[in-house]
Amino acid sequence: MTELKPLVSARGISKSFGGVEVLRNVDLDLMPGEVHALLGENGAGKSTFAKILAGVHRPTRGTIELGGKAVEIGSPIGAQRLGITLIHQEPISFPDLSVAENLVIGQVGGKPLGRVRWAELAKEARRLMGLLNVPIDVTVPMRGLSIADQQMVEIARALASDSRLIIMDEPTAALTPKEVETLFTIVRRLREEGRTIIFISHRLEEVRAICDRVTIFRDGDKIETAETASLTDADIIRRMIGRPVADYLHRGVGHVGAVALSVRGLTLPGRFENISFDVRKGEIVGLGGLVGAGRTDVARAIFGVAPAASGTIEIDGKPAEIREPTDAIARGVAFVSEDRAIAGIFRSLSVETNITAAVPERIAPKGIIRRAVEKALAKESVEKLRIRLATVRQPIGELSGGNQQKAILARWLLAEPDILILDEPTRGIDIGVKAEFYDRIGELAAAGRAILLISSELPELLALSDRILVMSEGKLTADIPRAEASQETIMHAAVPRSGRHTVSGAAA
Amino acid sequence: MNSIDKPTPSTTTPTIVVREAAAPRPRWQVLLIRPETVTLVLLVVATIVASRLSPFFADLGFILESSTYYIEFAIVALVLTLVIISGEIDLSPAAQMALSACLFGTAFKAGLPMPVAIGVSLLAGLVMGAFNGFLVTVLRLPSIIVTIGTLILFRGLAQVLAGDKSIGGFPSWFVGIDYRMVGIVPVPVVVFVAASVLLGLFLGITIYGRQIYQIGTSEIAAIHAGIRVRRIKMGLFIASGLVSSIAGLMVASRLGSVRYDLASGAELTMVLIVMLGGTYIFGGRGSILGTFLAAWLLVIIATGMTVANIAINAQLTVMGLLLIVSIIMTNAIYARSQR
């Protein structure tokens, strides 16, 4: 590969946000026809670097050469013109427009007041989707598509503009294993066509499966660029976090007590039906399944955000009528939602306000907030969960994703719940912090709490769960004891028996 | 597991201290991005300009006296501030003032004793507020549409009830609240200051105040945190109705009579005061202090222009410009702080 001219060569790229340097002096060459992984913990600078290439951010210092010529990438449109496309983690699309319309958005040319030739548009869209070999109806609105299909549309858009460099920022975060396979097939084909792909992911097995070379970032520095095959997982992790990490092993079944949460015949038409299961004290019950299988909907029903239409919930053997979250909280149920940005944090409010949000009676016994108590509680949580921040007074939005998630967990730990529902608690969190979360979840179970863990990451489910429930298309399809659980048994139960390859719509 | 906070010596890389969160903002910046800062600056400027325009202006007694026209709206604006911080809006208070005052007048004319007539008016405020609250929190309709609807409805009912005539003849102890003084301060101003202090404390130090900000910042997150969003919003709409009926009574006392067009168009004055005070129209940010300062800003500008013989039309123009300038400044400062 050395005799080839690099497609992109970045030299001395630095970037500061408000005085904080998030990227320092990064040199990187990207070859034509390679899949190049950017690895690093959250906040390591990999996404910032990718966004600089895509014209989202401008570097504070440094130069970028594209095909041997120095270029200035001033805006995402500018990047597009240069043949650089960024595919976002959560596709940014226009949900009410059709797939075909979304495909041509951002394309240059055409008169502002020119007529839209719908038939041609659809034909072109079909051709593009045909290149990817994915059966998506281009006339349906984007809204009805699964996240995976939306990403396929984004990729098709990149093909439409004939991009030379395609940047995929955590493209697999919301995909099922099967969808990941489809994505990889397409990525391989793009590589054969000589395009360069930047692949950002937290999942090492995926990087190993698809990437030729990896570049590892840590704290804004480029640590190393190497052939993927030349590094072991342990090597990569060590470079990412600067210290060795023990593999998280299953902690072993702890002491399991009486039934804490019992759900019988829970049904919400269109979302899930006839869901029945128990969670015992001290037990971690995993809830697996494909995205859109209805797992989150069940959790939301138990917590009272969107109650079930029929069925019963018993807590500690007593029937519980849960119509809103307050009812659930009063009975000792806590719920860490998968959607941290919308259903978790109060972005512009202080960390301490965020941490104490679910325990008003503790910080304000007579209705008047006691600042000292609040601050003490928040500081205690910050220390206990090792939340990294400057001060508990700063807005939580200034923290990294992992630390925001810790703050949300801290909020619920303050409520001292008996039953804890965790929905994708480690999504988008870097490996070091993940391990901390795993330890913490184990401790909570050991302390006698009943835990329902929803996760799309099979290794995570397998490592933590005492028992794994699997949902598929709104139904509970398996209850697998720890000893029999494996990636195969879970996937076997998760994949819908008959019908099409994706369940669209229900992605919560 | 050892802490990642410590710099980790490594053979391949330089030692780096991890910084995941930005450093805390300096204190002066924290003060600058407070929502009421712009209002305070404008207030100071307006005061200086007004005292230049007319030598009569710099008389506290005169300003306080002239403030009584706006102060009723300012009192309602205090509660409206809470409603807007919670992410909702109430455009019906002026119509609620009219309808509750007309009910009061009609009840009095029907021969009911004054305390009962006053009670009827306050009850009407509660009911009207609860009606708005019901539509918003139970039927989950957008408050802007609901309260535009009820603003027309309440005003219409007032006209049906009172016709085009004004109702007056109230006992003398009731009339002329603006001429009653505590020292040199008219009673309505005392009410306004007291209400500001009480609501400021409510918003600033009670858990409900805190939760109002949380709801306005992210209603979904608030629901997930177990905050009783609907109950709090219902409370706010009821409070808005109640304070409107009180303000309606104050107008009735000041004018000595009521008519269906009482406080006509005042909903915009109220929103203007809240917005001038730096409260964010989409909720989550704002303060009672800001609204308090904005009320005085309005009083000073209106009075200042009147003593400088500026026509009422020109006054409106200035008010509109002022609002736009203040919103641009507040947003620009806030946006900078978020970068």
Side-chain angles (χ1 to χ4, degrees):
Chain A
M1 223 181 248
T2 38
E3 63 273 14
L4 266 168
K5 278 261 171 64
L7 173 71
V8 177
S9 56
R11 290 288 172 272
I13 301 289
S14 298
K15 175 73 188 171
S16 302
F17 286 115
V20 180
E21 206 166 41
V22 293
L23 213 51
R24 261 183 299 272
N25 229 1
V26 172
D27 298 341
L28 186 62
D29 287 335
L30 298 167
M31 297 298 167
E34 78 163 335
V35 182
H36 196 114
L38 301 186
L39 289 171
E41 295 193 319
N42 285 349
K46 56 187 190 309
S47 285
T48 309
F49 182 76
K51 283 179 180 161
I52 285 174
L53 288 183
V56 178
H57 298 316
R58 279 161 159 259
T60 318
R61 282 192 307 280
T63 58
I64 297 168
E65 283 185 11
L66 189 69
K69 277 193 305 227
V71 288
E72 188 110 333
I73 309 171
S75 67
I77 292 283
Q80 194 111 62
R81 288 206 183 108
L82 292 166
I84 301 170
T85 301
L86 171 67
I87 294 172
H88 292 270
Q89 187 175 358
E90 269 124 30
I92 299 169
S93 57
F94 298 85
D96 291 316
L97 296 186
S98 74
V99 171
E101 287 166 286
N102 270 284
L103 274 172
V104 297
I105 280 164
Q107 277 196 20
V108 200
K111 296 193 190 83
L113 292 176
R115 187 165 69 90
V116 180
R117 293 185 172 78
W118 294 102
E120 263 175 53
L121 182 64
K123 203 171 122 205
E124 171 68 5
R126 266 187 220 108
R127 185 185 70 81
L128 288 166
M129 296 315 290
L131 292 179
L132 297 179
N133 201 14
V134 275
I136 295 174
D137 182 355
V138 297
T139 57
V140 299
M142 204 70 174
R143 190 185 288 290
L145 265 50
S146 67
I147 300 242
D149 286 350
Q150 291 185 30
Q151 260 165 0
M152 295 304 167
V153 174
E154 292 260 324
I155 293 170
R157 205 158 100 189
L159 295 182
S161 53
D162 203 27
S163 293
R164 286 180 285 175
L165 173 61
I166 300 173
I167 303 165
M168 301 187 177
D169 191 357
E170 298 209 39
T172 59
L175 300 196
T176 63
K178 188 168 177 199
E179 291 163 342
V180 170
E181 233 359 276
T182 315
L183 176 71
F184 282 6
T185 312
I186 291 164
V187 168
R188 288 194 189 97
R189 206 162 64 224
L190 296 174
R191 168 170 61 189
E192 275 158 31
E193 291 171 11
R195 299 178 209 267
T196 304
I197 288 138
I198 291 182
F199 187 84
I200 301 176
S201 175
H202 282 302
R203 299 183 187 168
L204 290 185
E205 64 268 36
E206 292 174 0
V207 169
R208 213 159 266 297
I210 192 108
C211 299
D212 307 303
R213 293 197 299 161
V214 298
T215 292
I216 299 161
F217 286 81
R218 185 169 80 225
D219 304 329
D221 292 292
K222 186 184 105 167
I223 302 299
E224 187 173 356
T225 298
E227 304 279 322
T228 313
S230 70
L231 296 174
T232 65
D233 283 2
D235 290 335
I236 294 175
I237 293 174
R238 201 178 311 118
R239 283 166 176 74
M240 278 167 65
I241 60 185
R243 69 196 156 85
V245 159
D247 275 337
Y248 35 86
L249 295 169
H250 185 255
R251 63 198 173 87
V253 179
H255 173 75
V256 173
V259 173
L261 172 70
S262 173
V263 169
R264 289 288 172 271
L266 222 53
T267 300
L268 184 62
R271 297 289 178 162
F272 53 82
E273 59 180 275
N274 203 17
I275 305 291
S276 303
F277 63 86
D278 293 336
V279 185
R280 291 170 176 275
K281 289 181 177 154
E283 190 181 32
I284 302 178
V285 174
L287 181 52
L290 306 179
V291 171
R295 298 169 301 168
T296 297
D297 295 304
V298 170
R300 282 157 55 92
I302 296 172
F303 193 62
V305 178
S310 62
T312 57
I313 298 168
E314 281 186 16
I315 289 167
D316 290 333
K318 286 187 287 276
E321 198 181 330
I322 296 172
R323 275 165 304 172
E324 53 180 2
T326 325
D327 301 333
I329 293 166
R331 287 166 202 277
V333 182
F335 174 46
V336 175
S337 162
E338 67 172 337
D339 200 342
R340 179 174 62 236
I342 291 175
I345 59 165
F346 301 104
R347 178 169 295 281
S348 56
L349 301 184
S350 70
V351 176
E352 57 180 350
T353 309
N354 271 281
I355 288 179
T356 58
V359 288
E361 72 292 344
R362 284 183 71 178
I363 55 163
K366 290 198 179 87
I368 311 281
I369 296 169
R370 306 202 171 160
R371 297 269 181 195
V373 175
E374 172 173 45
K375 195 165 187 183
L377 280 179
K379 283 204 159 149
E380 199 181 295
S381 297
V382 165
E383 274 162 33
K384 200 156 94 190
L385 294 179
R386 297 214 299 256
I387 303 173
R388 283 194 266 161
L389 40 61
T391 139
V392 291
R393 286 277 160 88
Q394 76 187 126
I396 196 167
E398 292 176 5
L399 269 52
S400 72
N403 284 308
Q404 290 178 6
Q405 186 74 341
K406 282 184 178 180
I408 299 298
L409 187 63
R411 174 193 292 174
W412 291 113
L413 295 187
L414 281 182
E416 295 177 347
D418 301 319
I419 299 164
L420 190 56
I421 305 172
L422 303 170
D423 193 356
E424 307 281 4
T426 65
R427 173 180 286 175
I429 289 183
D430 43 43
I431 291 178
V433 179
K434 252 184 201 180
E436 281 182 53
F437 263 90
Y438 294 163
D439 290 345
R440 185 67 56 186
I441 293 168
E443 280 168 31
L444 290 169
R449 290 181 163 120
I451 293 174
L452 182 63
L453 171 72
I454 300 174
S455 177
S456 293
E457 287 188 38
L458 295 180
E460 180 170 298
L461 274 183
L462 289 166
L464 289 169
S465 311
D466 297 320
R467 206 148 56 78
I468 297 175
L469 306 170
V470 184
M471 282 184 73
S472 176
E473 295 190 316
K475 297 190 189 69
L476 210 53
T477 50
D479 182 349
I480 310 169
R482 157 96 211 118
E484 292 160 31
S486 67
Q487 305 217 0
E488 288 73 31
T489 51
I490 297 173
M491 284 320 296
H492 188 73
V495 174
R497 283 283 152 260
S498 59
R500 303 134 315 180
H501 78 293
T502 46
V503 188
S504 60
Chain B
M1 203 186 313
N2 60 330
S3 167
I4 336 180
D5 290 339
K6 287 172 196 133
T8 346
S10 148
T11 46
T12 51
T13 56
T15 305
I16 291 138
V17 181
V18 172
R19 278 171 306 189
E20 242 184 277
R25 228 173 269 290
R27 198 163 177 78
W28 65 268
Q29 269 193 17
V30 173
L31 285 178
L32 191 63
I33 62 171
R34 286 199 59 85
E36 59 281 312
T37 308
V38 173
T39 320
L40 183 61
V41 172
L42 290 177
L43 180 59
V44 171
V45 173
T47 313
I48 293 169
V49 172
S51 8
R52 293 276 153 137
L53 283 177
S54 160
F56 305 110
F57 181 79
D59 172 6
L60 191 60
F62 173 66
I63 295 172
L64 288 172
E65 230 170 81
S66 2
S67 73
T68 50
Y69 175 69
Y70 286 103
I71 220 73
E72 291 128 2
F73 306 148
I75 292 170
V76 180
L78 293 172
V79 176
L80 186 59
T81 307
L82 306 191
V83 174
I84 292 180
I85 293 175
S86 83
E88 301 291 342
I89 194 157
D90 188 351
L91 292 173
S92 67
Q96 297 188 34
M97 286 170 70
L99 181 53
S100 59
C102 285
L103 276 166
F104 159 77
T106 313
F108 173 73
K109 269 278 163 300
L112 291 175
M114 277 299 280
V116 177
I118 290 173
V120 164
S121 158
L122 297 180
L123 185 67
L126 283 178
V127 171
M128 287 185 283
F131 182 63
N132 280 333
F134 171 81
L135 293 176
V136 172
T137 65
V138 180
L139 300 189
R140 292 164 200 265
L141 302 172
S143 54
I144 183 147
I145 305 298
V146 164
T147 57
I148 286 177
T150 53
L151 117 75
I152 298 166
L153 171 71
F154 295 153
R155 184 71 69 184
L157 284 176
Q159 192 169 8
V160 168
L161 192 69
D164 286 343
K165 293 188 198 68
S166 54
I167 305 170
F170 305 126
S172 61
W173 63 264
F174 179 78
V175 178
I177 190 173
D178 55 323
Y179 282 109
R180 283 156 224 264
M181 300 284 177
V182 177
I184 59 157
V185 189
V187 169
V189 177
V190 175
V191 173
F192 174 61
V193 172
S196 300
V197 171
L198 284 178
L199 285 172
L201 288 175
F202 175 76
L203 190 61
I205 69 170
T206 72
I207 196 71
Y208 289 114
R210 164 73 59 81
Q211 293 182 338
I212 288 170
Y213 281 107
Q214 287 172 332
I215 293 168
T217 304
S218 168
E219 180 165 346
I220 298 176
I223 291 170
H224 278 82
I227 294 168
R228 293 179 184 274
V229 173
R230 289 160 65 183
R231 186 183 287 189
I232 288 173
K233 284 190 173 172
M234 186 63 154
L236 289 174
F237 279 105
I238 291 176
S240 173
L242 187 61
V243 77
S244 300
S245 61
I246 293 170
L249 287 172
M250 288 170 67
V251 176
S253 164
R254 179 163 58 82
L255 301 177
S257 67
V258 297
R259 241 169 74 120
Y260 82 93
D261 62 352
L262 176 149
S264 182
E267 49 279 332
L268 293 184
T269 312
M270 296 166 189
V271 175
L272 175 81
I273 294 174
V274 178
M275 296 292 103
L276 271 180
T279 296
Y280 184 52
I281 187 74
F282 297 117
R285 284 190 282 134
S287 71
I288 290 292
L289 177 60
T291 303
F292 179 82
L293 293 174
W296 290 113
L297 176 61
L298 193 65
V299 166
I300 291 205
I301 290 176
T303 323
M305 286 193 290
T306 308
V307 291
N309 279 325
I310 296 172
I312 194 84
N313 318 9
Q315 291 193 16
L316 284 177
T317 315
V318 172
M319 299 282 182
L321 284 174
L322 196 67
L323 178 62
I324 290 166
V325 166
S326 116
I327 287 176
I328 289 172
M329 280 173 76
T330 311
N331 273 350
I333 291 173
Y334 185 73
R336 269 191 85 81
S337 76
Q338 294 298 298
R339 211 169 285 158

